[in-house]
Amino acid sequence: MRKFLVVALFLAAGLTHAQEVNKDEIKKEVVRILDSINKAKETAIITAPKIEPILQKEEKDHWYDKISLRGYVQIRYNGLFSTNDKVSCEQCDRSWGTTSTEPDAKSNNGFFIRRARLVFSGQIHPNIYFYFQPDFASSPSTGINNFVQIRDIFFDFSFDPKREYRVRVGQSKIPYGFENMQSSSVRLALDRNDAMNSAILNERDLGVFFYWAPSKIRERFEMLVKDGYKGSGDYGVFAFGVYNGQIANKLDSNRDLNVVARVTYPFVIGSQIIEPGIQAYSGKWAFTNEISTGVAIDNKQYVKDQRVGATFVLYPRPFGIQTEYNIGKGPRYDKTTNSVDVTNINGGYVLLNYKLDLGKQLLYPFAKFQYYDGGKKYEKDARSYVVRDYEIGIEWQPLKALEFTAEYVIADRTFEDSALPINRQQGNLLRLQAQFNF
């Protein structure tokens, strides 16, 4: 602008000299030009848009934004080709056979909602994980079905950024056994084996547990479930904890806490993954209303309850093997003395399976044999069992949201208490299940 003014002055001076203009007129012209420049500046400042700083709104993290919802429903039918309706399993499926002591009792083999579960879970804080699972198809012994009952409700507190070290507080699965840890939505056989599952009814109790696993192995645990290899889920490489010992959703009946420990590790060997493991627990069982009138107990207050078990899993890539066995001591009904004694227990199972990928569909043929010789402390009179069952089945997943399972059972089950002191039942049947995942 100044250069422009100088040039204008020179031109004006030259023009004035040439035309011999009066000096006063030159001064007036210069003043006029300067006034025009100043007015132009003021106008520009007034009309220029105001530029205000853009303030970014701080977004708050809400815990409920981090909660996810999923679930599954299982519908069963056990009424096909049954040769003996008195073959049953109280801990397995109440729609299978009949547990009535009446000689002409009819079976329960109709359509049945086995499970209807919702899972609310999420990492609500960098160090806190939340898990809540109610079941809307619980079946108490009253015969009225589809009650709502809490299965799991716990918090995991982690101590490091990778969450390799965790403490779990609440009601959750007791880390004992592979098939016990395996979700029912993932398991091939329709029911868990009697031998390992008789340790903890519904696999759960209230307690505090420590879990440790390297982040790489935690990812492997997740992959073995997510990619359809029928994994058990992430319950740590090492687990240790204490719990009530009186099963889930039931008050503790003694001051003795049960202690449990488990070690397992999924190894990668070439294209295969194997997972050996060992687990054990020790405690005392307190009877409440499980004992019939007239049945004697060695110690009415506390009964020894201890077990140790071993696991070996070869994941189906494509052929798989899953086997477990446990031994220990626990309460068991003795029909010769009409009493409950602490006796040795033992039993396990072998499951052979195959994973067949058909595009987006999955097919799993399987065969299972199980054996158990022992009592079940949470059943009437610590019911005595000798079980030899064969199961042959197939699971078909046409969609991730839909699964069908057909399982043919060849059963030989002896289950005796004070009402049925002599009770060996043998029979076969076809069991069907439809499962919906969401």
Side-chain angles (χ1 to χ4, degrees), residues 182-194:
Q182 198 177 34
S183 171
S184 299
S185 63
V186 173
R187 190 182 62 251
L188 285 173
L190 293 186
D191 295 308
R192 293 181 173 89
N193 70 98
D194 291 63

Side-chain angles (χ1 to χ4, degrees), residues 108-354:
N108 305 320
N109 295 339
F111 287 106
F112 184 68
I113 303 175
R114 181 64 178 92
R115 293 176 178 88
R117 298 188 178 179
L118 296 176
V119 177
F120 303 86
S121 63
Q123 195 74 37
I124 60 176
H125 181 275
N127 299 98
I128 301 177
Y129 175 77
F130 167 73
Y131 190 99
F132 174 48
Q133 179 179 218
D135 187 2
F136 292 81
S138 294
S139 304
S141 56
T142 58
I144 301 175
N145 297 324
N146 305 329
F147 278 80
V148 180
Q149 189 178 70
I150 293 176
R151 287 303 185 200
D152 302 274
I153 182 164
F154 62 80
F155 291 87
D156 279 358
F157 299 89
S158 56
F159 302 103
D160 61 300
K162 292 184 178 181
R163 307 185 186 108
E164 296 181 339
Y165 300 86
R166 297 170 285 154
V167 170
R168 178 166 296 176
V169 180
Q171 181 168 295
S172 65
K173 286 189 174 181
I174 307 303
Y176 183 82
F178 180 90
E179 195 177 57
N180 283 356
M181 299 294 97
Q182 198 177 34
S183 171
S184 299
S185 63
V186 173
R187 190 182 62 251
L188 285 173
L190 293 186
D191 295 308
R192 293 181 173 89
N193 70 98
D194 291 63
M196 301 290 289
N197 198 228
S198 59
I200 304 110
L201 181 65
N202 293 325
E203 309 86 51
R204 295 164 171 86
D205 207 335
L206 191 61
V208 179
F209 307 93
F210 170 78
Y211 291 104
W212 170 79
S215 57
K216 181 179 179 181
I217 302 304
R218 294 197 68 187
E219 292 173 1
R220 188 173 299 167
F221 282 136
E222 183 181 0
M223 178 275 294
L224 289 169
V225 175
K226 184 179 178 181
D227 291 354
Y229 294 109
K230 304 298 183 181
S232 66
D234 181 5
Y235 292 89
V237 168
F238 172 73
F240 176 82
V242 292
Y243 60 100
N244 283 341
Q246 292 298 126
I247 72 178
N249 300 314
K250 188 176 180 181
L251 291 174
D252 192 15
S253 298
N254 59 50
R255 295 192 176 206
D256 292 300
L257 294 176
N258 284 20
V259 180
V260 64
R262 179 175 184 249
V263 178
T264 187
Y265 194 95
F267 294 93
V268 176
I269 302 177
S271 61
Q272 302 295 322
I273 299 178
I274 65 168
E275 184 178 342
I278 188 169
Q279 49 267 312
Y281 78 88
S282 178
K284 293 181 179 179
W285 174 260
F287 286 104
T288 52
N289 58 353
E290 297 89 358
I291 303 301
S292 301
T293 303
V295 177
I297 310 175
D298 279 348
N299 186 326
K300 292 185 179 180
Q301 191 172 9
Y302 303 117
V303 178
K304 186 181 290 185
D305 182 20
Q306 299 173 332
R307 297 196 190 190
V308 60
T311 300
F312 176 83
V313 178
L314 170 67
Y315 286 96
R317 309 184 81 186
F319 174 74
I321 301 173
Q322 182 180 313
T323 182
E324 297 187 89
Y325 203 88
N326 74 161
I327 59 174
K329 289 183 177 292
R332 181 180 188 179
Y333 178 73
D334 185 348
K335 64 183 179 182
T336 61
T337 60
N338 193 32
S339 65
V340 174
D341 302 322
V342 175
T343 64
N344 294 328
I345 64 98
N346 71 96
Y349 70 96
V350 177
L351 172 73
L352 307 178
N353 60 96
Y354 193 90

Side-chain angles (χ1 to χ4, degrees), residues 22 66 84 99 129 200 204 272 398 413 427:
N22 191 302
K66 300 178 181 180
N84 181 4
T99 56
Y129 175 77
I200 304 110
R204 295 164 171 86
Q272 302 295 322
R413 305 178 70 86

Side-chain angles (χ1 to χ4, degrees), residues 54-79:
I54 299 173
L55 299 177
Q56 293 184 350
K57 291 184 179 179
E58 184 181 350
E59 294 185 1
K60 274 192 171 183
D61 289 332
H62 301 289
W63 64 267
Y64 47 80
D65 293 330
K66 300 178 181 180
I67 298 293
S68 64
L69 173 62
R70 58 185 173 86
Y72 66 99
V73 176
Q74 293 175 341
I75 310 294
R76 291 187 181 176
Y77 185 72
N78 294 314

